[in-house]
Amino acid sequence: MDQKKTVIVTGFEPFGEHTVNASWVAVQELKKLGLGHNINLHVAEVPVEYQAVQTLLPSLWKQHLPQLVVHVGVSGMATTVTLEECGHNHGYLRVDNCSFCPESHCCMEGGADCIHSVIDMDAVCRRVNSSGLGVTVSVSKDAGRYLCDYTYYTSLYLGKGRSAFVHVPPLGKPYSAEELARALRAVVLEMLELMEHNDGRKHCLHDQ
C-alpha cells in the first residue's frame, strides 16, 4: 500500500486593505474539502511579517516533512487564480504588519536571485483550465516582492523547489471562497500528479 503523502497549504493573515484575507478563507474551505484519503493535508495561517516567516517556514518543513508546500496569497489586481513560477530574493522595500522591512531588502543574503519551482506551472494551468472547473487559472513570473514573494522564495529554498505559490483574487471578485477552494484542490492534485510522474521518469532513467 502506498504511504500517505503530506501536503501543507498556507494562507495569510489580513493586511492593509484586505481586512479579510481571501487566501486564508479559501484555505480553510479547502481543509473542509480535503485532498482525498491518501493525502494528509495540514493548513496554517502565515503572519504578514518577514521575521515570522523566517521562523515559521523551517518549522513547518521540519515538523511535517511534506512532499509539497503550497502557499496561497491574495492579490487585489488578480482576476484569476494565478500560479507563480518563481520566488525572488531581492527588492523587498515594503514594510510588513509590524512596520518592519529587511535591512538588506533581500530574503537570503548570498542566495540566488530567483528560485523556480520544480513544478511545470504551465502544464498545471492547462490541465485545470481544460477540466471544466469554472474557475480560470493563469501563470505569472512575478509574485510581487512583498510577503508572498518572500515566503515563496524561502519555501523554495527550504524545499529544494518542492513548493508552489498561488495568488487568488479578493472574495467575490469574481469567485466565492468555495469556488477558490475547489480550484485550489484541483491545482494541488495536478501538482502532485506531475511531481509523481516526474519522479517516476527519473527512476526509469536511473534503471537504464
Side-chain angles (χ1 to χ4, degrees), residues 4-10 24 26-44 64 66-70 72 181 184-185 188-189 192:
K4 274 196 170 191
K5 287 192 171 76
T6 298
V7 175
I8 298 171
V9 182
T10 72
W24 180 232
V27 169
Q28 288 174 294
E29 286 296 323
L30 172 66
K31 178 69 174 170
K32 290 180 201 168
L33 288 177
L35 293 171
H37 294 305
N38 60 341
I39 299 169
N40 288 318
L41 170 62
H42 298 279
V43 303
H64 299 293
Q67 276 69 50
L68 173 66
V69 175
V70 180
V72 185
L184 288 175
R185 186 177 194 275
V188 172
L189 291 173
L192 286 170

Side-chain angles (χ1 to χ4, degrees), residues 63-83:
Q63 185 185 346
H64 299 293
L65 302 172
Q67 276 69 50
L68 173 66
V69 175
V70 180
H71 302 289
V72 185
V74 67
S75 168
M77 296 180 294
T79 54
T80 60
V81 170
T82 309
L83 313 180

Side-chain angles (χ1 to χ4, degrees), residues 70-98:
V70 180
H71 302 289
V72 185
V74 67
S75 168
M77 296 180 294
T79 54
T80 60
V81 170
T82 309
L83 313 180
E84 300 291 348
E85 289 191 339
C86 52
H88 300 89
N89 194 15
H90 299 97
Y92 296 97
L93 305 172
R94 286 174 65 191
V95 298
D96 64 15
N97 275 0
C98 291

Side-chain angles (χ1 to χ4, degrees), residues 132-206:
L133 193 70
V135 175
T136 304
V137 180
S138 63
V139 177
S140 157
K141 291 179 170 64
D142 183 3
R145 301 305 202 287
Y146 191 43
L147 263 298
C148 291
D149 215 341
Y150 190 87
T151 298
Y152 194 18
Y153 184 93
T154 304
S155 212
L156 287 166
Y157 177 82
L158 292 168
K160 298 179 173 59
R162 289 179 297 111
S163 184
F165 197 99
V166 183
H167 264 122
V168 297
L171 293 176
K173 295 184 177 181
Y175 304 116
S176 68
E178 293 79 9
E179 287 171 316
L180 291 175
R182 282 206 309 275
L184 288 175
R185 186 177 194 275
V187 161
V188 172
L189 291 173
E190 288 294 355
M191 286 175 176
L192 286 170
E193 198 169 306
L194 276 174
M195 288 171 78
E196 199 168 287
H197 178 68
N198 289 340
D199 282 349
R201 267 200 331 214
K202 277 182 206 157
H203 291 146
C204 290
L205 291 171
H206 289 317

